Amino acid sequence: YEHNSNSVAQKIYVELNNTVPCVRLLNATHQIGCQSSISGDTGVIHVLESEADLEWPLSKGPNPPYMVLLESSLFTKSIMMKMKNASSRVAGVVVVPKTSPPEFSPHTTCPNENTGVYTETYDHNLAHCNTTVWNPRGNGLSYEEFDFPVFSLKEDNETEVIKQCYFDHNRVVNGSGLQYPLCAMQLFSHMYAVTDTATCMRRGSIDFSTSPVMVCNPLGDYNVCAFIRPYNSTAFGHKENESVVVAAARLDSRAFFLQDSTGAEGSVSGFVTLLAAAQALREATQEAPPTRNILFAFFHGEVFDYIGSSRMVYDMKNNKFVIDLDNVHSILEIGQVKTLRSGTNLFLHSDPVSRRNNTIHDEVRGSEMILFVSSTAGLNFSFVETGFSQPLPPSSFQRFLRARAIPGIFLADHQTAFNNRYYESFYDDAAHLNLTYPSNLSPEEQLEFVTDTAKSLTEVATAVARALFKQAGGNNSQVNNINADPKTVTQMLYGFLVRSNNSWFQALMAPELKDKVFGFSFHCVFCLSEPNPPQYYVGVAKLPHQANALTYLVQYLLANLTGTATNLTQSQCKKPDELPNESTYMYSYFWVQGMVPPNSTQRESFCVRTAVRLAKAVSPAFDLGDYVSKEYSTWTESQWTFIKARIFLVASRDLEMLTLGVGVAVLFTSLLVTYFVSTKADVLFSAVREPNNGAY
């Protein structure tokens, strides 16, 4: 029966498998995103060819509601808001990503406006981007709420099927009326959560059964951290006579369609630079350890009101981290650092408010001089200090300043507003970062090909590594020996922006994690079969059991780039505490797959000893139960049952009503016949008596 019903469904519907939905997010005050009705939304397909063509689905078309298919060039705030305001005639929207527009940022003009350091009490003149609008291209589309489903199509073949169905059945020619059947689409993306985070968390906590169902989940994951000199991982709180320089970058990004987040310039350029700097410092810090420690911190969830950095600061304040805020000497954070041309500049941003303190000012000035003078020797760019009156750009550093005045610098490729034309959009991808390869190269050859982008970021990483070494009190004689590796940078860019499932990333990963990292993501609705970069959306917190693919990749990359390959066997690597001179309190131990040597099929696996740790990156608001917090992020993601998209042919309303009428007539006729037969059953089905047989 099930096989027959599926066969009938296959004859009626064409399933669209490679789609990405816009989903619902909530915070302390409101909800954003999209959803369908509980039974899905259905509409006649209309392919939008220009903004003027909106008149058909919004007013003229005789067969509403419409399912509007549009290419990315028409995916604008203006068009989406017109459809939102006429939602009774719009059943949903399907976006086909094509060529990039000149600029597009669906984020706000003032990212993380209410959770940075600049408030009414810190310096109200600098709050709410009053002096510098960081993202002037931002149209806020990602923060709108739509009461119809919005999907992105990821497969060209499926796009052509939909368009062909539209041209065959729905397209109006010379104003003539449409002939049935019409091509229609149905989208399912019903969201459980409504109103705000406090409402959905309260509903999820009501125990109607032995296993209550959460209707929304907090966003979050893990931060990736590593000290050049590790501390005992079980000894939290202040470390006497210890001073630590924090080197930071953010991991995550977002887009209107969350799973389309790529963040090439927005996040990847920064954290790849910091990873390369960490590798460049490995030998120098082992041969001549600087007087201060260095903490490499990769923060997750920063797009959503600084989830990762606010969590680390909270843990430092409450003796839940291996150091506290008093141990932090200074901070150097890497922001957006797109490809630099020869003779261009990188800008050093600092906080004008804390610099009113002479001690802080002198320390920042000293850090700047380190970067100005010694770190760029022999490199093709310069560092430029921004004005004292300008606030810090959106940065993790701001969360530290909310807790304590700390000297620090934020490094970026923009002096005022972002240069990034596609900030937090799906166009901020490899192409935007000018990551291009000769067409005749195989995937393995592309992995090894050193691009101009890689060369540029290698120079930035070299400058950052030298600056960190000097800031930590390293020996000046070692500085010019510190150089980032362009091959490593190009491999990271390829893996993070083109194909994460490559031979180098595989070699650095633990065997038990390869399916989680290179297979289907736990958060993926419809994953594509072809190779892709990892997802940069932080996702919902799955603590304490698993992190997302991006976190694992950065964790294992940092471990391999800064750790030590040991001679431990696999069993010893799993239980190193049983050996002398090994301690899981001080180090982490990772058994990694290793490369496959030439003319062999067996990997040369080995054990890496590393100081890399994962640290919780979930907003303290959820530990505190403060779902209306103004201090911490309160972002959650709604749960849903399933995501589905399909097209089919729909008959005219008259034919449907005729079919229904005939069906009802047949039903009542059958009931009357059944009633008549049952009342006359004794007559119609009486048995004819046979005469009694005589006995002889």
Side-chain angles (χ1 to χ4, degrees):
Y1 173 78
E2 183 179 352
H3 173 75
N4 291 337
S5 65
N6 286 340
S7 298
V8 172
Q10 289 171 6
K11 292 178 180 179
I12 297 173
Y13 301 106
V14 176
E15 302 289 341
L16 306 174
N17 294 321
N18 290 324
T19 60
V20 174
C22 161
V23 301
R24 174 171 287 170
L25 301 178
L26 309 96
N27 67 7
T29 57
H30 60 289
Q31 61 188 25
I32 62 173
C34 322
Q35 76 153 355
S36 73
S37 62
I38 194 167
S39 57
D41 290 327
T42 303
V44 174
I45 295 173
H46 179 75
V47 176
L48 199 68
E49 297 176 351
S50 68
E51 186 164 358
D53 194 29
L54 268 177
E55 188 179 13
W56 183 265
L58 299 189
S59 60
K60 285 179 59 177
N63 306 105
Y66 286 92
M67 195 66 69
V68 180
L69 180 79
L70 51 84
E71 291 194 355
S72 51
S73 59
L74 295 172
F75 184 55
T76 64
K77 177 76 174 286
S78 170
I79 289 177
M80 289 299 294
M81 295 308 291
K82 287 178 181 178
M83 289 191 285
K84 176 180 177 177
N85 295 331
S87 58
S88 62
R89 291 184 59 89
V90 177
V93 175
V94 177
V95 181
V96 182
K98 289 291 184 183
T99 55
S100 305
E103 58 182 43
F104 178 73
S105 175
H107 208 70
T108 60
T109 58
C110 191
N112 289 352
E113 178 178 357
N114 298 312
T115 48
V117 69
Y118 302 112
T119 61
E120 302 304 321
T121 57
Y122 193 73
D123 190 326
H124 68 276
N125 293 320
L126 302 178
H128 309 296
C129 296
N130 285 337
T131 59
T132 305
V133 178
W134 296 109
N135 186 34
R137 302 175 183 89
N139 59 35
L141 186 60
S142 291
Y143 291 83
E144 292 289 340
E145 180 191 0
F146 298 94
D147 58 2
F148 50 74
V150 183
F151 278 52
S152 173
L153 281 180
K154 308 301 293 179
E155 176 59 56
D156 288 341
N157 291 338
E158 291 185 346
T159 302
E160 292 307 312
V161 168
I162 297 170
K163 287 186 174 180
Q164 191 60 51
C165 187
Y166 166 78
F167 289 127
D168 290 345
H169 299 278
N170 296 8
R171 193 173 193 185
V172 178
V173 180
N174 298 325
S176 60
L178 297 176
Q179 300 295 316
Y180 284 94
L182 298 177
C183 189
M185 180 184 289
Q186 190 172 31
L187 301 178
F188 297 86
S189 62
H190 182 66
M191 302 287 144
Y192 288 159
V194 294
T195 310
D196 53 38
T197 289
T199 302
C200 76
M201 293 297 289
R202 184 181 69 249
R203 290 178 177 175
S205 66
I206 299 174
D207 191 0
F208 289 115
S209 63
T210 55
S211 55
V213 177
M214 294 297 293
V215 296
C216 67
N217 293 295
L219 300 187
D221 197 70
Y222 288 96
N223 298 324
V224 182
C225 308
F227 291 91
I228 60 169
R229 293 193 302 274
Y231 299 116
N232 187 323
S233 62
T234 62
F236 296 151
H238 185 70
K239 298 291 183 290
E240 289 295 331
N241 303 317
E242 286 291 318
S243 182
V244 179
V245 177
V246 177
R250 73 172 168 103
L251 293 178
D252 64 308
S253 65
R254 68 157 301 175
F256 183 87
F257 301 102
L258 295 172
Q259 293 176 63
D260 279 346
S261 306
T262 48
E265 182 179 356
S267 60
V268 177
S269 65
F271 76 69
V272 163
T273 297
L274 188 56
L275 283 167
Q279 182 195 29
L281 281 169
R282 180 178 178 273
E283 287 189 16
T285 55
Q286 289 180 350
E287 292 176 5
T291 54
R292 299 186 184 98
N293 210 337
I294 300 175
L295 166 62
F296 297 103
F298 298 83
F299 295 121
H300 222 326
E302 295 300 274
V303 175
F304 295 97
D305 293 331
Y306 304 118
I307 293 173
S309 55
S310 65
R311 182 68 201 209
M312 179 174 282
V313 171
Y314 173 82
D315 287 345
M316 285 183 175
K317 289 170 63 177
N318 291 278
N319 292 326
K320 296 181 179 180
F321 195 69
V322 292
I323 61 172
D324 66 8
L325 289 168
D326 290 334
N327 290 125
V328 177
H329 170 267
S330 55
I331 294 174
L332 174 59
E333 182 175 354
I334 317 300
Q336 302 179 80
V337 283
K338 194 183 176 183
T339 308
L340 300 173
R341 296 179 299 277
S342 180
T344 55
N345 300 321
L346 283 179
F347 295 94
L348 309 177
H349 298 265
S350 58
D351 172 41
V353 180
S354 60
R355 290 187 69 168
R356 294 168 191 165
N357 178 301
N358 290 334
T359 304
I360 299 290
H361 174 79
D362 292 344
E363 188 63 50
V364 172
R365 191 63 185 161
S367 301
E368 290 174 341
M369 291 308 298
I370 288 171
L371 286 162
F372 281 139
V373 178
S374 61
S375 303
T376 56
L379 305 180
N380 293 318
F381 66 92
S382 301
F383 289 115
V384 175
E385 183 183 22
T386 58
F388 284 172
S389 62
Q390 181 175 285
L392 275 171
S395 55
S396 306
F397 180 26
Q398 291 199 28
R399 292 301 305 192
F400 284 83
L401 288 172
R402 280 181 74 124
R404 177 174 166 263
I406 298 174
I409 290 173
F410 180 78
L411 182 63
D413 61 10
H414 56 90
Q415 183 170 12
T416 53
F418 298 157
N419 293 331
N420 191 346
R421 295 176 291 124
Y422 304 122
Y423 184 73
E424 306 301 2
S425 81
F426 47 54
Y427 300 116
D428 188 10
D429 56 11
H432 175 54
L433 210 58
N434 301 320
L435 202 63
T436 56
Y437 302 90
S439 58
N440 60 338
L441 296 186
S442 68
E444 282 300 305
E445 290 170 333
Q446 290 179 352
L447 175 66
E448 303 289 335
F449 181 79
V450 180
T451 62
D452 289 340
T453 303
K455 293 175 184 176
S456 174
L457 292 185
T458 300
E459 291 206 334
V460 180
T462 296
V464 167
R466 292 174 179 178
L468 285 170
F469 187 72
K470 290 203 67 178
Q471 183 72 0
N475 192 323
N476 286 341
S477 63
Q478 294 281 335
V479 169
N480 289 335
N481 297 327
I482 298 173
N483 292 287
D485 178 22
K487 181 180 177 181
T488 300
V489 174
T490 208
Q491 289 175 320
M492 286 193 288
L493 289 173
Y494 182 80
F496 284 120
L497 292 174
V498 180
R499 182 190 297 255
S500 61
N501 191 4
N502 62 69
S503 60
W504 189 59
F505 273 18
Q506 288 176 3
L508 304 182
M509 191 57 54
E512 66 270 17
L513 291 177
K514 61 183 180 181
D515 289 338
K516 292 180 181 178
V517 174
F518 304 121
F520 291 159
S521 165
F522 71 87
H523 194 71
C524 189
V525 180
F526 290 118
C527 294
L528 308 187
S529 56
E530 65 265 20
N532 280 288
Q535 291 181 23
Y536 290 88
Y537 167 53
V538 63
V540 298
K542 295 288 186 180
L543 313 182
H545 304 295
Q546 64 179 3
N548 66 29
L550 174 62
T551 305
Y552 283 131
L553 283 172
V554 173
Q555 177 192 20
Y556 275 77
L557 267 170
L558 186 59
N560 281 273
L561 295 178
T562 62
T564 303
T566 69
N567 294 321
L568 301 182
T569 65
Q570 186 172 5
S571 59
Q572 290 173 332
C573 196
K574 299 295 182 184
K575 297 180 179 180
D577 283 324
E578 297 176 357
L579 301 172
N581 303 321
E582 304 291 351
S583 171
T584 55
Y585 295 117
M586 302 300 292
Y587 295 99
S588 299
Y589 295 81
F590 297 148
W591 184 259
V592 299
Q593 294 189 108
M595 297 294 289
V596 179
N599 304 319
S600 175
T601 58
Q602 294 292 323
R603 293 185 177 275
E604 294 184 343
S605 302
F606 58 95
C607 183
V608 176
R609 182 199 300 118
T610 175
V612 176
R613 302 277 184 182
L614 295 183
K616 189 176 180 181
V618 177
S619 171
F622 297 99
D623 286 6
L624 301 171
D626 184 6
Y627 305 133
V628 295
S629 174
K630 294 182 179 180
E631 174 71 15
Y632 299 111
S633 171
T634 55
W635 285 105
T636 55
E637 181 189 277
S638 174
Q639 291 270 31
W640 62 78
T641 306
F642 60 89
I643 303 294
K644 186 163 69 171
R646 59 190 184 182
I647 62 172
F648 57 96
L649 295 179
V650 60
S652 70
R653 190 73 174 171
D654 292 342
L655 180 57
E656 289 179 337
M657 295 308 296
L658 177 61
T659 304
L660 177 62
V662 171
V664 171
V666 170
L667 173 64
F668 278 108
T669 301
S670 63
L671 290 174
L672 288 172
V673 170
T674 302
Y675 175 76
F676 174 76
V677 169
S678 64
T679 56
K680 303 296 183 180
D682 57 336
V683 176
L684 295 173
F685 304 108
S686 59
V688 179
R689 292 189 177 185
E690 295 183 4
N692 292 332
N693 294 329
Y696 295 98

